[in-house]
Structure formats: C-alpha cells, structure tokens
Amino acid sequence: MEPLIARWDNAVTHRDPTDPTDETLLCCVTADGQPVALFLTDTQVADLRDQLAGDRKPLASHRPSRRRRSVLIRRTTT
C-alpha cells in the first residue's frame, strides 16, 4: 500500500487544556485537495518540536535526519 502524501497547510488547532484526552490537530491537504487531519498527543507535539528544531537525534534510525516538507500518512480503516 502506498502512503498518502499530504502537506501541512499552516493550520493548527491546539488541544483544549481542560480536556486531558484532547489532541492537537494539524490540518493537511493532499495534492488533489483532499483534507487530511493529523492528530498529535502532547508528547508527539514535543517530539516533533524537538525534531524540527534539531535538538536531538532522530527518534528511529530509519527516519531521515533532514527536514521534510511532506507528511506521510498511511490510510487506515476504522
């Protein structure tokens, strides 16, 4: 299965700090205009912030160390 390639469209909805189960939402879009929602926990937000700032080594050895402008998201069914 090929990954769905999406680009961030500069929109973020921050989680509700009063709801411990809420997540941060990054709004993305595919090349053909399909909207994609990328939900991140607080831990994932912090890890992503560190990765983009170059503050630590990549989380996994198979991940590229250079910055990417695309977000790869696997399609899943619920």
Side-chain angles (χ1 to χ4, degrees), residues 3-70:
L4 174 65
I5 298 175
R7 296 190 187 284
W8 179 47
D9 71 359
N10 296 326
V12 176
T13 301
H14 296 280
R15 74 174 199 83
D16 178 355
T18 63
D19 181 357
T21 64
D22 201 15
E23 296 177 314
T24 298
L25 167 64
L26 298 180
C27 301
C28 302
V29 65
T30 63
D32 63 356
Q34 178 183 351
V36 176
L38 178 61
F39 290 92
L40 300 174
T41 65
D42 285 346
T43 300
Q44 292 169 324
V45 168
D47 287 343
L48 179 59
R49 182 184 314 115
D50 291 346
Q51 290 293 311
L52 293 175
D55 290 344
R56 61 180 173 171
K57 295 178 183 175
L59 298 176
S61 60
H62 67 278
R63 291 187 181 175
S65 59
R66 60 185 166 84
R67 292 184 184 188
R68 290 193 173 261
R69 299 183 80 194
S70 297

